[in-house]
Amino acid sequence: MTRGRSDGTPKKRLITTICVVAIFLGFLYAYYGSIFGNQDRGASTLQHGSKSLSHYLLGSEDSEESSTTTVQEDPEDGIVPKSYPVCDDRHSELIPCLDRHLIYQMRLKLDLSLMEHYERHCPPPERRFNCLIPPPAGYKVPIKWPKSRDEVWKANIPHTHLAHEKSDQNWMVVKGEKIVFPGGGTHFHYGADKYIASIANMLNFSNDKMNDEGRLRTVLDVGCGVASFGGYLLSSNIIAMSLAPNDVHQNQIQFALERGIPAYLGVLGTKRLPYPSRSFELAHCSRCRIDWLQRDGILLLELDRVLRPGGYFAYSSPEAYAQDEEDLRIWREMSALVGRMCWRIAAKRNQTVIWQKPLTNDCYMQREPGTRPPLCRSTDDPDAVWGVLMEACITPYSDHDHKAKGSGLAPWPARLTSPPPRLQDFGYSSEMFEKDTETWRRRVESYWNLLSPKIESDTIRNVMDMKAHMGSFAAALKDKDVWVMNVVQEDGPNTLKLIYDRGLIGTTNNWCEAFSTYPRTYDLLHAWTVFSDIEKKECSAEDLLLEMDRILRPTGFIIIRDKQSVIDMVKKHLSALHWETVATANSSSDSELESDEVVFIIQKKLWLTSESVRESE
């Protein structure tokens, strides 16, 4: 449900008719909704909601719906939400800032050839959805990791077109109630594990292990498909940011996250990827269908920006091996371009070529004057990413990094707790870093003690730290079988580069807007003073609560660490959101808490619309 009104002016008679019908159905909604809402089907976390009435009244794709929240008067607390409307089933996979319908409705003039329609375009406040996103019919609590790497419930992502379209490539196979992932890809039909070993062998890494004894830790997989490449890297202590747009191969990222594999919705279009410079040891493209030669090689130059000194680009595509005239032309032009970028071929075999980025600025300085692409301006900030346009230029190293001849990072896992070299960019000392690491280790231990009655070792897999700072929350989870999406707020200290230097992954976001992910993709959200931050920006706390509910899996958890007034506000919305309290701690019960801090832990109940229940029975 959006907060706007549909365009056009209906006739008075039609308005009267609709009002009468709406009032009548409203009585039915109140009566039957209360019945469905109170049913108990034998599971403490299962609830039912009633389907949005506007689905029946308006129905069409272009119609917009009333956002009125039913409320009841509380004599002590004021107005308290009683319930939120349930979005129509067609919105069960809504991504507000990547909504194709919004682009059409707002008549945005976008250049499709530059992939602008796959970039973020967020709805204005009056067009935001103000309803709960329903799970699809028959939704089940996701299969637990590590079993989930290889199979998921079909009902949770009821899309099988990729299984048919990629049937010869072993992406995925439908087997009864499950979708199975054999580990194949367009250029590795026989399994990602064998393909990964072959790349390690090409690079002469010891024992054909891709992690190169801990020196290779972070990977960017562009056009990742269902992220099997990233999924199989995890066993080598390598974490990949698997990246793909919501394009013709819809639901790729949704499948990846359902499997428990780190992934993010994004595209190489006109804006920089939401990662700092020098974040990844390896970039990978396996038949990712990207025109790397367009716009003076601007997309390859964006990869160059995010690669570390000496980083690799593994490219598996017909241009690397085919002999027809067009593929040979592309190969010659790509070879010339990367040569001017000072990349060298590290290895080439069969279908794959691996280029390596230089360690220093020496090659750049030796190029002929006027060589393109040029070096970026000295005033350009290579770490500024939120809404920043790409530029067709090479990002040189600073004098310090040029002299260091590399990133200066310790091998994994030592780099997780070693003070990152880029700490000095923020004026942080090693002592501050070490204290932060220890503080969050104690805090996470306290969180797990509070959660312990509700969780087993495999309950939680996909975790998001909504205000990650230096990534110490994620570092404290190293021995848990989880991965963490570290989110750094776009208007705060740009500490995301410290997070990548620690061997972790993350992205940037503005929590006044929606996050770029499908609904129901995270098991645990950690919100440290996030509500206090958006309060200062005068953004809507209610919008943020609905967004957190959207991205949280049913039966998932939220940890809010904030001031008491924030906790009181959240408590007023619990029943409306189908959330329930798990635990509360304050400074009197937890010495780690500041005097005005409260830890509040919530669990999201599994609820289904009455329509979903009928369809799944």
Side-chain angles (χ1 to χ4, degrees):
M1 291 203 173
T2 60
R3 294 177 179 163
R5 298 181 179 178
S6 66
D7 296 331
T9 306
K11 301 294 184 182
K12 290 183 178 180
R13 184 178 301 170
L14 180 59
I15 292 174
T16 303
T17 303
I18 290 177
C19 287
V20 170
V21 173
I23 291 169
F24 173 73
L25 290 177
F27 282 115
L28 292 179
Y29 176 89
Y31 179 73
Y32 288 106
S34 64
I35 293 175
F36 282 120
N38 292 320
Q39 283 180 338
D40 180 358
R41 294 176 63 89
S44 63
T45 57
L46 178 63
Q47 288 192 348
H48 302 287
S50 56
K51 197 163 186 178
S52 169
L53 290 179
S54 61
H55 177 82
Y56 303 106
L57 289 172
L58 301 175
S60 69
E61 280 294 320
D62 293 329
S63 65
E64 299 197 22
E65 305 158 3
S66 167
S67 65
T68 303
T69 301
T70 306
V71 297
Q72 63 182 2
E73 193 74 35
D74 185 300
E76 295 182 1
D77 297 327
I79 302 297
V80 180
K82 182 180 179 181
S83 65
Y84 288 107
V86 177
C87 300
D88 289 341
D89 288 346
R90 66 175 183 245
H91 298 310
S92 69
E93 293 172 354
L94 175 72
I95 311 163
C97 293
L98 298 171
D99 183 5
R100 221 70 60 75
H101 298 295
L102 176 73
I103 291 173
Y104 299 144
Q105 290 167 5
M106 297 187 69
R107 297 176 175 85
L108 299 180
K109 298 186 184 301
L110 305 176
D111 191 331
L112 304 188
S113 68
L114 302 184
M115 303 296 178
E116 283 187 301
H117 54 307
Y118 294 136
E119 295 181 326
R120 285 174 61 88
H121 302 282
C122 297
E126 67 274 9
R127 297 184 73 99
R128 289 179 183 171
F129 283 70
N130 193 35
C131 50
L132 301 177
I133 304 295
Y139 181 87
K140 301 180 181 181
V141 174
I143 294 170
K144 304 302 182 184
W145 181 267
K147 195 174 180 182
S148 63
R149 188 195 72 172
D150 302 323
E151 61 181 30
V152 301
W153 295 116
K154 182 173 66 176
N156 291 8
I157 309 179
H159 302 282
T160 59
H161 58 281
L162 278 176
H164 305 297
E165 184 179 339
K166 303 291 184 180
S167 59
D168 61 332
Q169 297 170 16
N170 282 327
W171 279 33
M172 47 190 273
V173 178
V174 178
K175 288 189 176 180
E177 292 187 334
K178 294 178 179 177
I179 294 175
V180 176
F181 301 88
T186 306
H187 268 265
F188 44 92
H189 306 174
Y190 301 108
D193 50 350
K194 297 181 179 62
Y195 174 68
I196 290 166
S198 72
I199 292 177
N201 180 265
M202 290 172 67
L203 292 171
N204 295 317
F205 290 166
S206 60
N207 300 316
D208 294 343
K209 298 294 185 182
M210 192 70 169
N211 64 5
D212 190 25
E213 298 180 336
R215 287 182 286 270
L216 196 154
R217 165 64 181 172
T218 52
V219 169
L220 175 66
D221 188 16
V222 180
C224 63
V226 292
S228 289
F229 180 74
Y232 278 80
L233 284 173
L234 289 165
S235 61
S236 299
N237 282 322
I238 295 172
I239 190 163
M241 179 67 82
S242 296
L243 183 79
N246 185 17
D247 60 6
V248 292
H249 294 151
Q250 291 179 22
N251 309 103
Q252 299 169 98
I253 296 300
Q254 191 178 18
F255 278 119
L257 291 166
E258 182 75 10
R259 296 172 71 185
I261 300 171
Y264 185 79
L265 274 164
V267 67
L268 280 163
T270 66
K271 296 175 183 175
R272 284 179 172 177
L273 296 174
Y275 318 119
S277 66
R278 312 198 309 277
S279 292
F280 301 97
E281 275 93 35
L282 172 79
H284 172 255
C285 158
S286 173
R287 197 64 180 270
C288 55
R289 303 196 310 169
I290 292 174
D291 177 7
W292 296 107
L293 295 173
Q294 65 175 280
R295 294 177 281 160
D296 300 318
I298 195 169
L299 305 185
L300 268 177
L301 290 160
E302 176 63 1
L303 285 191
D304 183 84
R305 182 185 70 83
V306 300
L307 278 175
R308 298 198 192 280
Y312 300 99
F313 177 41
Y315 182 59
S316 297
S317 193
E319 295 83 26
Y321 64 88
Q323 296 299 308
D324 64 83
E325 185 176 337
E326 179 61 11
D327 286 325
L328 286 171
R329 179 192 68 80
I330 294 172
W331 171 252
R332 286 192 294 268
E333 291 188 25
M334 279 192 71
S335 297
L337 172 61
V338 299
R340 296 194 301 274
M341 291 167 56
C342 293
W343 290 7
R344 69 172 186 87
I345 291 180
K348 187 174 186 291
R349 184 190 302 167
N350 299 330
Q351 301 179 353
T352 303
V353 60
I354 303 174
W355 285 291
Q356 186 174 23
K357 181 180 175 178
L359 284 167
T360 69
N361 290 330
D362 289 343
C363 175
Y364 305 144
M365 299 300 104
Q366 294 165 5
R367 301 187 312 161
E368 291 292 326
T371 300
R372 301 189 67 82
L375 297 183
C376 298
R377 299 180 302 274
S378 59
T379 55
D380 180 63
D381 180 2
D383 301 321
V385 296
W386 187 253
V388 177
L389 293 175
M390 294 181 194
E391 290 192 51
C393 59
I394 298 170
T395 304
Y397 304 122
S398 67
D399 290 342
H400 174 272
D401 295 328
H402 169 71
K403 292 174 184 175
K405 296 184 178 180
S407 61
L409 297 175
W412 178 265
R415 74 171 61 173
L416 183 65
T417 50
S418 300
R422 291 194 271 189
L423 271 177
Q424 60 188 356
D425 293 358
F426 303 91
Y428 297 161
S429 66
S430 296
E431 291 75 21
M432 291 170 62
F433 172 82
E434 290 163 358
K435 182 180 179 181
D436 188 73
T437 300
E438 175 58 22
T439 296
W440 281 104
R441 185 197 63 77
R442 293 195 304 268
R443 289 177 176 179
V444 168
E445 183 179 354
S446 175
Y447 291 161
W448 246 249
N449 288 337
L450 292 169
L451 281 166
S452 59
K454 288 279 190 176
I455 63 172
E456 304 291 339
S457 59
D458 63 355
T459 302
I460 294 170
R461 173 62 186 168
N462 301 351
V463 178
M464 179 187 289
D465 189 2
M466 298 173 67
K467 184 181 176 182
H469 191 42
M470 288 191 279
S472 294
F473 170 84
L477 290 169
K478 175 184 176 293
D479 295 328
K480 310 290 184 187
D481 210 358
V482 304
W483 66 272
V484 182
M485 178 67 78
N486 293 280
V487 182
V488 169
Q489 301 187 75
E490 53 85 22
D491 60 346
N494 193 2
T495 53
L496 195 55
K497 54 189 173 183
L498 303 182
I499 289 166
Y500 276 93
D501 283 357
R502 300 183 76 168
L504 304 169
I505 61 168
T507 188
T508 303
N509 197 57
N510 176 354
W511 286 114
C512 295
E513 300 177 356
F515 189 78
S516 294
T517 193
Y518 284 89
R520 302 173 300 279
T521 45
Y522 285 87
D523 299 301
L524 173 66
L525 307 178
H526 177 240
W528 169 47
T529 68
V530 175
F531 284 94
S532 290
D533 290 339
I534 68 160
E535 185 181 273
K536 295 171 187 173
K537 299 179 187 179
E538 299 184 353
C539 299
S540 168
E542 184 177 293
D543 283 348
L544 181 56
L545 287 169
L546 287 166
E547 172 62 4
M548 293 169 74
D549 182 77
R550 184 185 72 86
I551 63 183
L552 187 66
R553 284 173 167 174
T555 73
F557 298 89
I558 298 172
I559 302 173
I560 298 176
R561 188 185 195 96
D562 217 313
K563 57 190 179 185
Q564 183 65 56
S565 60
V566 166
I567 307 306
D568 292 341
M569 177 275 297
V570 174
K571 285 181 177 179
K572 294 180 180 181
H573 291 77
L574 291 182
S575 61
L577 293 163
H578 303 280
W579 296 355
E580 63 183 2
T581 300
V582 172
T584 306
N586 54 38
S587 55
S588 64
S589 60
D590 188 339
S591 59
E592 286 299 313
L593 288 163
E594 303 291 337
S595 59
D596 61 340
E597 275 187 336
V598 179
V599 169
F600 187 46
I601 302 182
I602 302 157
Q603 184 173 25
K604 176 180 176 178
K605 299 176 183 179
L606 172 59
W607 59 270
L608 301 172
T609 64
S610 53
E611 184 69 18
S612 295
V613 172
R614 284 195 291 272
E615 290 179 14
S616 60
E617 286 178 342

